[in-house]
Amino acid sequence: MTVVGPLGLTVRDQTLEADALAGLAAVEEGLLEATKSDVPFITEAAQHLVRAGGKRFRPLLVLLAAQFGDPHAPGVVPSAVVVELTHLATLYHDDVMDEADVRRGVPSANNRWGNSLAVLTGDFLFARASHILADLGPEAVRVQAEAFERLVTGQILETAGPRDGRDPVEHYLDVLAGKTGSLVAVSGRLGAMMAGADESVISVLTQYGERLGIAFQLADDVLDIASDSHESGKTPGTDLREGIATLPVLHLRAQAQASGSAADRELCALLEGDLTDDARHAEVLLRLRAHPALEQARRDTLRYAAEARAMLAPLPTGAARSALEGLCDAVVHRAG
């Protein structure tokens, strides 16, 4: 039994273990190659987050999905590189929007080089992903383009907020389906597609990926409040500081409205205030960590992970399906 990837997935099948480890190593090589430029500074900036590491969650899903066809098909590793490059590009842009100082345990690109260069580096990564996609065929380009449209739409909806009368929790979960679920779904889809899997298998892995992606982001929401920077690789409470209402905050607001609790209303008022103040930010973090809303967000994470696992039922039993089930467990473990 070997732990494969920083996410902590355990693989008990030697053949699958060898395929996954070899595939992840090839993805790392592909990422470094794709982020090289004739301009040394561009290479440095583009490889900043690549070299900082990461869970490689999406490439791992590509590789596992490919097990339901030919895992050594020539398009499998390049498609894994594409999804990770796309993900990395969004991180450069997210950090600019969030004014984050730390990412993956290192200074964020915007903190190190400024917002303009961080945005342009993200654009460079999108361009390199598109270049690789062009060699994978028009269907792969279309699938990735649709996923990217959903990703951007999700980000816009998050920024715009729910329309009048819309349940904020429902709106937020729709945001996550686009912003995070879409790229995880396409990871399962491209891996199966490139491996020549049956359409029914591709459909199952796409739906599984979307639910797993939502669970993954909900676990991040929990970590943003519950963890320290050593565990999460970024500054705790970044979303809080930027006024982004993640699921624990939305649950808090709903509970405050339903119960009328003075303590809940006071905490909501603190959240509405200036959380760039370090003392106020620390107080909000401390109180949220002890609030039932955080546990409710954990339960939601469990629910989406369970739905993802249930989607795998039509797939043949075996090492690959067990590994996909293990990814559900790994995501849940992150949320505590």
Side-chain angles (χ1 to χ4, degrees):
M1 182 175 69
T2 299
V3 175
V4 174
L7 191 62
L9 174 68
T10 54
V11 176
R12 294 173 174 81
D13 180 86
Q14 289 185 343
T15 301
L16 177 57
E17 172 196 327
D19 282 349
L21 291 173
L24 288 172
V27 168
E28 290 302 311
E29 290 181 13
L31 288 171
L32 290 173
E33 185 63 31
T35 49
K36 286 180 181 176
S37 168
D38 293 336
V39 181
F41 172 72
I42 295 178
T43 301
E44 181 186 4
Q47 292 185 350
H48 179 63
L49 289 184
V50 174
R51 294 188 181 278
K55 292 172 282 293
R56 303 297 188 249
F57 172 51
R58 293 156 189 82
L60 180 58
L61 179 53
V62 172
L63 299 173
L64 294 177
Q67 292 289 323
F68 295 91
D70 176 7
H72 305 115
V76 172
V77 168
S79 65
V81 172
V82 164
V83 295
E84 188 67 5
L85 282 175
T86 304
H87 172 59
L88 288 170
T90 66
L91 297 185
Y92 281 82
H93 288 180
D94 281 352
D95 285 347
V96 170
M97 294 180 67
D98 298 342
E99 299 179 6
D101 294 327
V102 178
R103 169 70 70 175
R104 295 183 172 177
V106 299
S108 60
N110 52 298
N111 183 25
R112 184 168 176 181
W113 294 295
N115 285 345
S116 295
L117 284 172
V119 169
L120 291 170
T121 302
D123 293 344
F124 176 81
L125 296 179
F126 284 131
R128 286 297 173 90
S130 298
H131 183 79
I132 297 170
L133 270 170
D135 293 331
L136 297 179
E139 179 65 10
V141 173
R142 184 183 65 81
V143 166
Q144 176 73 357
E146 289 175 352
F148 189 52
E149 179 183 346
R150 288 190 62 208
L151 190 158
V152 173
T153 299
Q155 184 67 68
I156 292 171
L157 288 174
E158 179 181 60
T159 303
R163 64 179 184 273
D164 289 344
R166 181 85 194 278
D167 177 19
V169 171
E170 288 183 6
H171 170 82
Y172 183 67
L173 292 173
D174 282 347
V175 165
L176 295 194
K179 184 180 172 183
T180 303
S182 61
L183 192 56
V184 181
V186 89
S187 300
R189 186 171 183 179
L190 283 178
M193 275 178 54
M194 292 298 108
D198 292 341
E199 283 296 328
S200 60
V201 171
I202 294 172
S203 176
V204 164
L205 291 169
T206 302
Q207 295 175 67
Y208 160 84
E210 178 140 340
R211 286 160 179 78
L212 187 66
I214 295 172
F216 187 84
Q217 183 57 55
L218 292 179
D220 264 4
D221 287 358
V222 172
L223 278 172
D224 186 61
I225 293 170
S227 73
D228 58 29
S229 58
H230 174 74
E231 292 175 277
S232 64
K234 62 180 183 179
T235 305
T238 296
D239 292 330
L240 291 177
R241 196 180 291 275
E242 296 307 315
I244 298 171
T246 57
L247 194 61
V249 172
L250 294 175
H251 281 321
L252 166 66
R253 290 174 178 169
Q255 290 177 27
Q257 186 174 11
S259 69
S261 161
D264 286 355
R265 290 199 306 271
E266 181 185 358
L267 182 51
C268 287
L270 283 171
L271 281 165
E272 296 299 324
D274 180 15
L275 292 183
T276 61
D277 177 79
D278 289 341
R280 187 187 189 107
H281 182 259
E283 181 183 355
V284 168
L285 262 183
L286 186 66
R287 291 175 65 170
L288 269 176
R289 286 169 177 169
H291 198 278
L294 184 61
E295 185 57 36
Q296 189 172 355
R298 282 195 177 98
R299 291 196 299 270
D300 289 328
T301 306
L302 290 170
R303 174 167 59 87
Y304 274 95
E307 288 180 6
R309 180 190 288 269
M311 291 303 307
L312 298 172
L315 298 181
T317 57
R321 177 172 152 181
S322 294
L324 292 173
E325 292 169 345
L327 275 183
C328 298
D329 297 336
V331 166
V332 167
H333 178 71
R334 292 177 68 239

